[in-house]
Every structure is written in C-alpha cells, then in structure tokens.
C-alpha cells in the first residue's frame, strides 16, 4: 500500500470544521481559552504541526490528548468535524496509526462526546454502527453530515 502524503489530505477542511466549534465556545477569544487544555485546541495544534512539518504521523501524540477538558460540547457542533475526518481518512487498514493526524483529530472530537474513543474500523458504515452503540443522536447527526458531503 502506498504511503499517504500530507498534500493528499485536506487539512484546511478539517481546520474549518474545528474553527466552527471554537466560534461556538463561550471561551472563544477570551482569557479563559486555554488551547493546551482543550480537545479542539489539541486537534488544531495537531493540524498545524502536520502542515508545518509535512507529516501525517506524530509519534506519541495520542498519549497527549487533554483528557481533563470537561467543557460542554454539543453533538450538533462536533458532528460536522467528525464527518470530515471520515471523509479525509484514507482507510489505511494495516498501516493505520493512532498517531495519524486524522485519527488524532477524530479521537479528540470523540473524547468531547463519548465515554470512550472508537477505533476506526476502516469503514464509515461500521464506524457509525459503533458510534450508535454509545451515542445514537451523534450517529444520526454524523450520517446526515456525511450525506451532505456527497451532494
């Protein structure tokens, strides 16, 4: 299987989705905004690092997820960003890494809403089924967001 290069991923599309979540946050552009302690801030840093270094895999980054971020996140805001990670995933299967920038962004967003992150099975359909087990509303929102991307 060929190696995926950073140029093959639309990092700007992911960044735009994360920007929408930030703009809906009560702490946006305030002194209370602590990017290093925020799940979306973490995802933004990952994308910035990937663009700057031209890397898709950041060894050890999955262990740096800010799991103490307890801000309220709303499924309606997060669903579009998770859907974009599904669109950007190249379904590496055997070469999948939890430290891939797409997996890191998806894990951060899942952590905002789910009790546990979900290992992406290489299929959007199977992924939605796994999401539905934990959060049926999010699964329905994701399905709608993914449909939007097809039109």
């Amino acid at each position: 299987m060929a190696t995926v290069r950073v140029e093959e991923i639309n990092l700007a599309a992911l960044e735009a989705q994360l920007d929408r979540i930030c703009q809906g946050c009560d702490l946006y552009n305030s002194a209370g905004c602590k990017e290093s302690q925020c799940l979306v801030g973490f995802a933004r840093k990952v994308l910035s690092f990937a663009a700057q270094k031209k890397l898709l895999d950041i060894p050890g980054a999955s262990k740096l997820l800010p799991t103490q971020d307890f801000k309220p996140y709303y499924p309606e805001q997060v669903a579009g960003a998770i859907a974009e990670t599904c669109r950007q995933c190249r379904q590496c299967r055997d070469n999948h890494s939890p430290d891939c920038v797409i997996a890191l962004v998806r894990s951060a967003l899942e952590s905002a809403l789910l009790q546990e992150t979900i290992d992406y099975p290489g299929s959007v359909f199977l992924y939605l089924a796994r999401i539905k087990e934990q959060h049926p509303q999010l699964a329905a929102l994701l399905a709608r967001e993914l449909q939007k991307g097809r039109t």
Side-chain angles (χ1 to χ4, degrees), residues 72-99:
Y73 288 93
Y74 303 99
E76 300 79 17
Q77 292 178 329
V78 176
I82 294 177
E84 189 58 40
T85 67
C86 291
R87 286 192 276 279
Q88 296 297 322
C89 183
R90 297 296 185 231
Q91 299 182 21
C92 300
R93 298 177 203 254
D94 293 338
N95 296 324
H96 173 74
S97 164
D99 293 322

Side-chain angles (χ1 to χ4, degrees), residues 47-68:
L47 292 179
S48 175
F49 185 84
Q52 180 184 20
K53 300 292 185 181
K54 304 287 188 227
L55 295 172
L56 279 181
D57 200 70
I58 306 170
S62 58
K63 293 175 178 58
L64 303 175
L65 207 66
T67 55
Q68 299 303 313

